[in-house]
Amino acid sequence: MMGFSYRQYADDVLSGEQIACQWVKLACQRFVDDLENGEERGLYFDDGAAQQIIAFFALLKHSKGEWAGQHLILEPWQQFIVGNLFGWKKFGTGLRRFRNSFVEVARKNGKSTLGAGLGLYMLVADGEPGAEVYSAATKR
């Protein structure tokens, strides 16, 4: 499977080819900086781990709406988020760098789908014995 180019996405955002807010630009700059200097801070990017969760998402199918029954393919910005969360690891332990994330996008842009896929992956494919996943909302 040909891997998604996280570096290309980051470069496109930083060059202005891909329109993004200041926070996304900062995340892309951090990604580029860490690729170049992360080793000094005990970090490395495990592309295989990042690609594994992206491949997991492709096994899932939309359950309703115009895409019902079609496989879920993450957009580049979603792949960048998921790849960063699961790809960055710490030398020595191999543990993921990030334990928390904050994703804010406008309504109807797939937040629930993204969250559901992350939850499913962490429940069944993350190698955590007795994994538990919780989801909450502010409205209901």
Side-chain angles (χ1 to χ4, degrees):
M1 172 168 115
M2 178 178 254
F4 171 75
S5 174
Y6 307 95
R7 178 63 189 255
Q8 184 62 54
Y9 178 81
D11 288 344
D12 289 349
V13 166
L14 294 172
S15 73
E17 186 173 325
Q18 174 69 48
I19 297 172
C21 71
Q22 71 175 7
W23 304 112
V24 173
K25 290 176 185 175
L26 287 171
C28 288
Q29 187 63 60
R30 179 189 62 207
F31 179 80
V32 170
D33 292 345
D34 287 344
L35 281 178
E36 295 170 3
N37 305 309
E39 219 172 284
E40 298 166 12
R41 297 187 3 245
L43 302 171
Y44 68 98
F45 189 75
D46 181 349
D47 187 59
Q51 289 302 318
Q52 181 176 325
I53 187 168
I54 290 169
F56 178 83
F57 268 89
L59 298 173
L60 305 176
K61 291 185 178 184
H62 291 276
S63 61
K64 55 186 174 178
E66 65 181 282
W67 296 297
Q70 294 181 29
H71 287 278
L72 191 101
I73 305 299
L74 296 178
E75 294 291 328
W77 65 270
Q78 293 170 315
Q79 291 185 44
F80 185 76
I81 291 169
V82 171
N84 269 275
L85 291 175
F86 288 82
W88 282 109
K89 298 194 176 173
K90 298 176 184 177
F91 277 116
T93 66
L95 296 175
R96 284 194 295 266
R97 171 187 185 180
F98 298 111
R99 295 174 48 99
N100 298 297
S101 69
F102 178 82
V103 178
E104 182 177 9
V105 294
R107 53 189 308 271
K108 298 297 181 189
N109 276 288
K111 290 184 297 290
S112 296
T113 303
L114 186 63
L118 288 169
L120 285 170
Y121 181 83
M122 294 180 81
L123 182 68
V124 300
D126 201 27
E128 176 77 23
E132 296 180 21
V133 176
Y134 301 93
S135 179
T138 60
K139 301 292 180 195
R140 17 181 185 146

